[in-house]
Amino acid sequence: MIDRGRVGLLPRPPSLEAESYLGFMESLRNHAIRGIFPAVAGDAEAARERAGGAAASLRDFVREADAVPRVAAWKRLMRSQQQSTWGRLFEAYRADAAAFEAELDAAERGRRGRLRRDPSFEVPRYASLDIHLQPGGYVGDPLAGYVFHHGTKVFYQGDNDQDELHRQVVDMVRVPDDGAVRRVLDVGCSIGQCTTALKQRFPEAEVVGLDVGLPLLRYANKRAHDLGIDVAFVHGLAEDTRLPDASQDVVLCYILFHEVPSRLFLPILRELHRVLRPGGALTVVDAPNGREFPAGNALWLEFDARYNCEPYSPAFVASDLGALLREAGFEVTSQG
C-alpha cells in the first residue's frame, strides 16, 4: 500500500486512477444537480399540474413526471453515478484490504480505550440497509469508513472536502444558557467529522461520537488519531445510548432522524432528553420537515426513497419535529 498523502483534511484515494475517476463522478453529479435539475424541477411542476395540482396524489404526480424523458434520464444518471462511485471506491480499497484493516487496528491500539464497543452488540435490522446504495451500508463492510469518506466527498459535490459543512453545523450548535460545556455528545456521528469539529470548538470538553456503524467508527477513530484530536467514540444506538442520566451538556444530531424509522423518532428524543442535564442544549440539523414542498423537491424526495435507498426520509419530512421535541420534554427555542 502506498500512502498518497492528503489534501488538507482529506486523504487521497489509493491510486491516481481512482482519484481521477472520482473527480469525473463529482463533475457528473454537479452537472446532474446544478445543470440539469433546475429544468427537471420545472418539468415536475408541470407534471403536478397535469396530475391535478396540489391535490394530486404522489403516485399520480410521479407517474406524470416519469413520462417526461428528461426526468427519467435525470433519475437514471443520478442512480448510475452513485452506483459507479461506490463500485470504484470498493475496488480501489479492496485491492489492498489487509493493509487498510491493519491501519484501523493500529489506530485502536494507539488510542486504547477511545473506541468503546460491546462484542455482543447486534446491529438492528433497520440500520443494515445499503443507505445511499453504499454496498453493505454503514455496517456491512470493514472498509466502509474509507469508502464513505470519499463517497460523501462526491455526494457533497466537493463542497465538504475540508469538513466545511460539518464545521458550519458545529458553529450552529447551541450551548446551555449557563455556558458550561464539559461533555458533548455527537449522535449519529458516522466518520466523526462533526465530532472532531466539536472538540475544536469546545477544547476543554470531553467529546464523544456515537454511531450504529462500527466500520464508520473505526475509521473515525483512525481519522481522529491522524489529526491528533482527542475525541472518543461509542458503538451504540441513539435510542439506547447506555450513557448516564443527565451526563451531557450539549448534544448534536446531524442528519440522523431521516436515517431511522419513524417509530424511533420519539424514543430517540426521549433518550436524548434523559442524557442531557437540566439546562443542557440539544441541536438537531436535518432535512426540512412539516411543510409542503415544491414539485421538484417532492420528486427528488420520492426518487431518493425509491431508488437511492433512503426509505425513512419521507416519514421524517412529513413529521412535526417541533411537536415531537415538546412531547419528549424539550423546550423548543428556535426552529428553522
Side-chain angles (χ1 to χ4, degrees), residues 145-285:
Y146 291 94
V147 171
F148 178 90
H149 196 175
H150 286 287
T152 53
K153 168 190 164 35
V154 174
F155 185 84
Y156 282 122
Q157 302 168 248
D159 292 337
N160 194 45
D161 291 6
Q162 304 304 316
D163 296 356
E164 296 97 328
L165 297 181
H166 289 86
R167 292 175 184 275
Q168 289 175 22
V169 167
V170 167
D171 286 344
M172 292 189 292
V173 167
R174 185 174 176 273
V175 300
D177 290 341
D178 61 15
V181 181
R182 296 170 294 267
R183 294 185 184 87
V184 178
L185 178 64
D186 180 13
V187 183
C189 68
S190 69
I191 61 169
Q193 289 162 291
C194 278
T195 319
T196 51
L198 284 163
K199 180 65 175 179
Q200 290 170 318
R201 180 176 171 188
F202 305 111
E204 303 304 316
E206 169 71 12
V207 179
V208 174
L210 181 144
D211 202 275
V212 70
L214 183 58
L216 299 191
L217 289 177
R218 295 194 74 209
Y219 181 80
N221 184 64
K222 174 194 176 299
R223 187 172 178 274
H225 179 269
D226 293 346
L227 296 175
I229 299 177
D230 187 21
V231 293
F233 296 98
V234 175
H235 187 209
L237 299 173
E239 64 268 32
D240 183 19
T241 65
R242 303 190 181 183
L243 296 173
D245 291 354
S247 60
Q248 306 298 314
D249 300 288
V250 169
V251 174
L252 168 65
C253 297
Y254 173 52
I255 55 174
L256 166 71
F257 284 95
H258 81 275
E259 302 283 24
V260 299
S262 58
R263 61 180 173 80
L264 293 179
F265 294 168
L266 196 54
I268 289 173
L269 289 171
R270 284 175 172 155
E271 173 70 355
L272 301 183
H273 189 270
R274 181 188 68 80
V275 302
L276 269 172
R277 68 167 172 90
L282 168 68
T283 299
V284 177
V285 180

Side-chain angles (χ1 to χ4, degrees), residues 271-331:
E271 173 70 355
L272 301 183
H273 189 270
R274 181 188 68 80
V275 302
L276 269 172
R277 68 167 172 90
L282 168 68
T283 299
V284 177
V285 180
D286 215 305
N289 71 321
R291 65 191 68 173
E292 184 175 330
F293 286 96
N297 299 82
L299 182 74
W300 195 331
L301 178 66
E302 193 274 343
F303 162 78
D304 259 354
R306 180 173 298 194
Y307 298 114
N308 200 34
C309 199
E310 282 280 24
Y312 309 128
S313 58
F316 177 72
V317 167
S319 71
D320 184 340
L321 180 59
L324 289 166
L325 285 163
R326 294 182 185 92
E327 186 174 350
F330 289 99
E331 176 187 354

Side-chain angles (χ1 to χ4, degrees), residues 62 66 75-76 78-80 82-83 130 132-133 299-311:
V62 171
D66 283 351
K75 287 187 174 183
R76 181 68 266 178
M78 289 286 285
R79 181 175 169 89
S80 294
Q82 194 91 315
Q83 290 173 313
D130 292 356
H132 291 166
L133 306 181
L299 182 74
W300 195 331
L301 178 66
E302 193 274 343
F303 162 78
D304 259 354
R306 180 173 298 194
Y307 298 114
N308 200 34
C309 199
E310 282 280 24

